[in-house]
Amino acid sequence: MFRLINASLWLIVCMILNGSKMKKNIVIVGGGISGLALLHYLNIRHYFDDEVSIQLLEKGSRPGGTIQSTREDDYLFENGPNGFLDNKPNTLKFIQEIGTEEHLVRASGAAKIRFIAYQKALHALPASPKDFISFKLLTPLDKLRILMEPLLPRGKKLDESVYDFGRRRLGRKFSELFLDPMVSGIYGGDAHKICLRAAFPRMAELESKYRSLFNAMIRLKKKGGMPQGTLTSFTGGMAQLMDVAAKKYADQIVCNTEIKTISRNGPQYIVYSQDTQYKADELFMCTPAYRAADLLKSMDASVSESLLQIPYAPMAVIGLGFANESFQCLPQGFGYLNPSSEKRKALGVLFDSNIFPERAPEGHLLFRIMIGGARFPDIIKKSKEEIINLALDEIQQHFPTKASPKKVFYRMWPKAIPQYDQTYVHVKAKLQDQLKQLPHVHLNANYWNGISFNDCILDARNNSMAIS
Ligand SMILES: Cc1cc2nc3c(=O)[nH]c(=O)nc-3n(C[C@H](O)[C@H](O)[C@H](O)COP(=O)(O)OP(=O)(O)OC[C@H]3O[C@@H](n4cnc5c(N)ncnc54)[C@H](O)[C@@H]3O)c2cc1C
């Protein structure tokens, strides 16, 4: 009898608690990969919770942010990211959960060789220790300097640039030939300014754990090696994933909705578009840093100021489609990068249709030229015509032809990629502290925990667990 009364009482208490449970509104501002992945993970996390409402508000007519694929005349041009490395199980699981696994395409084996432009000629980058020994751009002295790496002590500087890190461990020539173009290829950045610890944390971690990069390689090889990864995309281009995700969560996504201001009302935030207000108990900012700065300014000027200290590099992406017969010698391999010593406006060229053959019609090829970056920020002052001419000039330098392109694609990103530079580590630490003044506001975009597609998805997953 006593047990029965106890159980009934417990049931009543539960009913009262449930009855009084407040509905929680989660608002996501921005529908690039960061916002969409977050929407997915929050839905998984709150699958059984009727008391949670989740909405994603996106300025554009469709979600995707910088992920935009254009199909025209049987060419497929990527305006933003070209693909992602398939060595992160978290990304592959995300793709499977969204339902686009069957559309995955891996880079063709023929695109394995990568080149570097040096003194106006293309040189294949060494892919094995044997290639390295015969690699002509490094003198025997440069090679000896590289081989001294295991003898060197750990570095101490927290905000050391990628260039300085390379010079300290592997010599100046290594930094110039390999790290300088790698940084401009990934970040559109300047290797003298990009901070190793912020932009390539894994490399900094390996030095701190194993002292030497060579030692790290040997130790990790014994444990099964470092995952390499293959560049991967979708048959319909990168935007295919975004479109499928947008369809899956259509009833929670509001497009053509630019957020204008955000204010605070006690524990809640009020998010204002042109004509609607959204109440948020948890607010995720998935816009670029400079947009989050505008939107958070009226609530906390210091957060806004710090966000504005994260610089962005501009980038123009040009696609040039030609008939194969326009060239005596067709490009081989993946593409090439220009080290800054080449003094070119283009950061590099990808041979897109070698990587993913279905990106150009039969008998044609597609080049993708990246121009600008931190090295050439004045790109934003050039006209579209001037930029296309720069791209044509870049192609002519290594693949001379009298033919005109059959197809031209053009995309300018005035603020393409956030720069994890030497001030970044300090700005981020400051921001983490300042954000305590805005409880339940979360920053979730590519300027926070890595710029790559893979990083954005992982960060979204981690952030989805940050709320109770
Ligand atoms: C040219 C280029 C090439 C790249 N190549 C690669 C690559 O090959 N591989 C790779 O891994 N990564 C690559 N990246 C990086 C990667 O694509 C990006 O870091 C990532 O896509 C950024 O996603 P995000 O969601 O954080 O931001 P974004 O894609 O910038 O999304 C932000 C969203 O917020 C919305 N928004 C902004 N303001 C408001 C507002 N006020 N109200 C509502 N919505 C708003 C925007 O419309 C946008 O949809 C590349 C980036 C660029 C630019």
XYZ file of all heavy atoms in Angstrom, residues 29-34 57-59 64-67 79-83 257-259 286-288 291 295 315 317 413 416-417 445-446 451-453 456, ligand 1:
315
model
N 21.835 31.132 -36.768
C 21.884 32.200 -37.789
C 22.989 31.839 -38.784
O 24.164 31.803 -38.432
C 22.170 33.576 -37.150
C 22.192 34.671 -38.224
C 21.132 33.900 -36.084
N 22.603 31.559 -40.039
C 23.588 31.233 -41.078
C 23.517 29.777 -41.469
O 23.605 28.891 -40.617
N 23.361 29.532 -42.766
C 23.193 28.151 -43.249
C 24.278 27.704 -44.202
O 23.991 27.145 -45.254
N 25.546 27.938 -43.845
C 26.649 27.294 -44.571
C 26.790 25.883 -44.023
O 25.897 25.387 -43.312
N 27.914 25.230 -44.292
C 28.084 23.865 -43.778
C 28.062 23.865 -42.246
O 27.526 22.938 -41.629
C 29.357 23.173 -44.342
C 29.493 21.732 -43.821
C 30.629 23.936 -44.039
C 28.405 20.811 -44.215
N 28.608 24.930 -41.619
C 28.636 24.957 -40.146
C 27.212 24.944 -39.595
O 26.892 24.164 -38.691
C 29.359 26.206 -39.634
O 30.675 26.240 -40.104
N 18.092 30.252 -39.739
C 17.720 31.433 -40.529
C 18.859 31.763 -41.484
O 19.999 31.969 -41.060
C 17.465 32.615 -39.585
C 16.538 32.290 -38.405
C 16.491 33.441 -37.418
C 15.136 31.942 -38.905
N 18.567 31.792 -42.769
C 19.617 31.987 -43.780
C 19.262 33.169 -44.684
O 18.136 33.279 -45.162
C 19.790 30.685 -44.587
C 20.550 30.806 -45.896
C 21.949 31.396 -45.776
O 22.673 31.085 -44.817
O 22.323 32.198 -46.659
N 20.280 33.979 -44.915
C 20.110 35.177 -45.739
C 19.823 34.837 -47.206
O 18.985 35.455 -47.855
C 21.423 35.978 -45.630
C 21.479 37.240 -46.413
C 22.748 37.996 -46.091
C 23.936 37.402 -46.795
N 25.111 38.273 -46.815
N 23.999 26.808 -47.931
C 25.238 26.356 -48.582
C 26.409 27.274 -48.302
O 27.547 26.836 -48.276
N 26.125 28.577 -48.132
C 27.222 29.530 -47.904
C 28.192 29.507 -49.068
O 27.767 29.591 -50.232
N 29.485 29.310 -48.762
C 30.480 29.325 -49.850
C 30.451 28.031 -50.667
O 31.148 27.931 -51.676
C 31.904 29.524 -49.292
O 32.090 28.631 -48.207
C 32.148 30.934 -48.840
N 29.667 27.062 -50.243
C 29.583 25.807 -51.018
C 28.530 25.996 -52.110
O 27.327 25.984 -51.851
C 29.243 24.613 -50.100
C 30.369 24.453 -49.076
C 29.024 23.345 -50.912
C 30.203 23.316 -48.106
N 32.364 26.981 -57.148
C 32.657 28.386 -56.817
C 33.478 28.482 -55.536
O 34.235 29.410 -55.339
C 31.361 29.156 -56.591
C 30.482 29.181 -57.821
O 30.471 30.153 -58.549
N 29.753 28.103 -58.074
N 33.273 27.534 -54.650
C 33.976 27.525 -53.360
C 34.777 26.252 -53.225
O 35.570 25.920 -54.112
N 34.578 25.490 -52.127
C 35.414 24.305 -51.927
C 35.239 23.281 -53.034
O 34.141 23.059 -53.546
C 34.943 23.745 -50.587
C 33.646 24.382 -50.311
C 33.637 25.698 -51.008
N 36.368 22.674 -53.382
C 36.428 21.718 -54.462
C 36.118 20.311 -53.982
O 35.735 19.445 -54.753
C 37.876 21.739 -54.986
C 37.963 21.324 -56.399
O 37.004 21.494 -57.144
N 39.088 20.767 -56.781
N 36.331 20.083 -52.696
C 36.131 18.764 -52.132
C 36.656 18.742 -50.713
O 36.950 19.793 -50.142
N 16.149 35.223 -45.384
C 15.908 35.878 -44.093
C 17.230 36.399 -43.548
O 17.993 35.648 -42.933
C 15.257 34.869 -43.108
O 14.043 34.433 -43.700
C 14.966 35.485 -41.762
N 17.484 37.662 -43.827
C 18.728 38.245 -43.321
C 18.488 38.786 -41.916
O 17.574 39.590 -41.707
C 19.199 39.376 -44.236
C 20.465 40.015 -43.697
C 21.122 40.969 -44.660
O 20.563 41.207 -45.757
O 22.191 41.478 -44.302
N 19.284 38.368 -40.973
C 19.143 38.881 -39.610
C 19.790 40.259 -39.558
O 20.914 40.461 -40.026
C 19.763 37.900 -38.587
C 19.032 36.553 -38.682
C 19.695 38.456 -37.175
C 17.515 36.630 -38.691
N 26.384 31.275 -36.902
C 27.114 30.496 -37.920
C 27.406 31.350 -39.149
O 27.460 30.852 -40.277
C 26.308 29.261 -38.301
S 25.981 28.189 -36.903
N 27.560 32.642 -38.944
C 27.906 33.561 -40.038
C 29.416 33.809 -39.989
O 30.069 33.452 -39.010
C 27.213 34.917 -39.822
O 27.790 35.512 -38.641
C 25.724 34.777 -39.614
N 29.989 34.479 -41.015
C 31.392 34.889 -40.880
C 31.581 35.813 -39.673
O 30.609 36.439 -39.197
C 31.663 35.640 -42.190
C 30.632 35.149 -43.143
C 29.423 34.820 -42.321
N 30.250 39.414 -39.758
C 28.778 39.527 -39.670
C 28.328 39.319 -38.227
O 27.465 40.049 -37.717
C 28.094 38.460 -40.529
C 27.969 38.781 -41.956
C 26.880 39.791 -42.269
N 27.184 40.406 -43.532
C 27.886 41.518 -43.695
N 28.311 42.219 -42.662
N 28.164 41.984 -44.896
N 26.129 41.843 -35.683
C 24.883 41.425 -35.040
C 24.971 41.437 -33.516
O 23.969 41.649 -32.838
C 24.477 40.028 -35.542
C 24.138 39.961 -37.035
C 23.896 38.529 -37.480
C 22.912 40.806 -37.352
N 39.495 36.202 -52.481
C 39.932 35.245 -53.503
C 38.959 35.251 -54.687
O 37.743 35.290 -54.479
C 40.005 33.844 -52.917
C 40.899 32.931 -53.750
S 40.984 31.282 -53.124
C 41.809 31.486 -51.579
N 37.854 32.992 -57.959
C 37.977 31.625 -58.491
C 37.478 31.660 -59.939
O 36.349 32.086 -60.198
C 37.125 30.623 -57.663
C 37.377 29.202 -58.129
C 37.425 30.760 -56.174
N 35.156 36.251 -54.175
C 34.833 36.197 -52.747
C 35.656 37.296 -52.076
O 36.845 37.092 -51.788
C 35.222 34.845 -52.131
C 34.522 33.662 -52.715
C 35.043 32.770 -53.596
C 33.183 33.222 -52.449
N 34.115 31.797 -53.906
C 32.964 32.059 -53.215
C 32.156 33.703 -51.641
C 31.751 31.373 -53.194
C 30.953 33.009 -51.623
C 30.759 31.858 -52.391
N 37.038 35.771 -48.457
C 36.889 34.335 -48.707
C 37.167 33.491 -47.472
O 36.342 32.683 -47.066
C 37.818 33.924 -49.846
N 38.349 33.698 -46.878
C 38.802 32.744 -45.855
C 39.384 33.485 -44.655
O 40.236 34.371 -44.826
C 39.847 31.775 -46.465
C 39.198 30.993 -47.616
C 40.406 30.820 -45.413
C 40.068 29.961 -48.255
N 31.492 28.649 -36.565
C 31.753 28.877 -37.993
C 33.240 28.649 -38.250
O 34.000 28.346 -37.321
C 31.344 30.296 -38.391
N 33.639 28.842 -39.496
C 34.984 28.419 -39.906
C 36.122 29.255 -39.331
O 37.273 28.935 -39.556
C 35.076 28.387 -41.441
C 34.923 29.756 -42.054
O 34.566 30.712 -41.367
N 35.183 29.860 -43.347
N 39.163 25.818 -40.713
C 38.409 26.335 -41.866
C 37.890 25.241 -42.795
O 37.037 25.497 -43.634
C 39.254 27.308 -42.729
C 40.448 26.590 -43.359
C 39.678 28.529 -41.966
C 40.859 27.188 -44.663
N 38.437 24.026 -42.683
C 38.074 23.036 -43.701
C 36.637 22.546 -43.487
O 36.070 22.659 -42.392
C 39.042 21.853 -43.666
O 38.741 21.028 -42.564
N 36.089 22.005 -44.536
C 34.765 21.373 -44.525
C 34.707 20.369 -43.364
O 33.768 20.376 -42.563
C 34.616 20.706 -45.902
C 33.380 19.919 -46.121
C 32.206 20.543 -46.490
C 33.404 18.534 -46.016
C 31.062 19.799 -46.733
C 32.270 17.791 -46.255
C 31.097 18.417 -46.606
N 34.588 22.112 -39.970
C 33.286 22.754 -39.689
C 32.277 21.716 -39.199
O 31.496 21.988 -38.282
C 32.734 23.447 -40.936
S 33.702 24.874 -41.455
C 37.151 29.706 -52.648
C 37.150 28.757 -51.496
C 37.687 27.487 -51.656
C 37.700 26.585 -50.595
N 38.172 25.315 -50.801
C 38.055 24.393 -49.814
C 38.339 23.021 -50.078
O 38.665 22.640 -51.211
N 38.206 22.133 -49.046
C 37.791 22.515 -47.796
O 37.697 21.665 -46.897
N 37.482 23.815 -47.531
C 37.592 24.747 -48.511
N 37.229 26.050 -48.274
C 36.800 26.423 -46.903
C 35.363 26.002 -46.586
O 34.618 25.935 -47.754
C 34.703 27.021 -45.677
O 35.515 27.276 -44.559
C 33.324 26.543 -45.191
O 32.505 26.177 -46.274
C 32.690 27.684 -44.392
O 31.430 27.294 -43.922
P 30.644 28.169 -42.856
O 29.298 27.575 -42.742
O 31.442 28.315 -41.607
O 30.550 29.648 -43.464
P 29.816 30.203 -44.841
O 29.936 29.165 -45.856
O 30.429 31.512 -45.022
O 28.308 30.311 -44.377
C 27.812 31.414 -43.645
C 26.328 31.565 -43.963
O 25.809 32.619 -43.163
C 24.850 33.335 -43.949
N 24.676 34.674 -43.361
C 25.600 35.675 -43.271
N 25.062 36.751 -42.668
C 23.774 36.436 -42.365
C 22.710 37.136 -41.725
N 22.859 38.393 -41.281
N 21.520 36.520 -41.594
C 21.343 35.231 -42.031
N 22.317 34.524 -42.640
C 23.521 35.110 -42.800
C 25.495 33.366 -45.331
O 24.545 33.664 -46.339
C 26.054 31.950 -45.416
O 25.140 31.063 -45.983
C 37.185 26.972 -49.327
C 36.648 28.255 -49.158
C 36.619 29.135 -50.230
C 36.001 30.498 -50.046
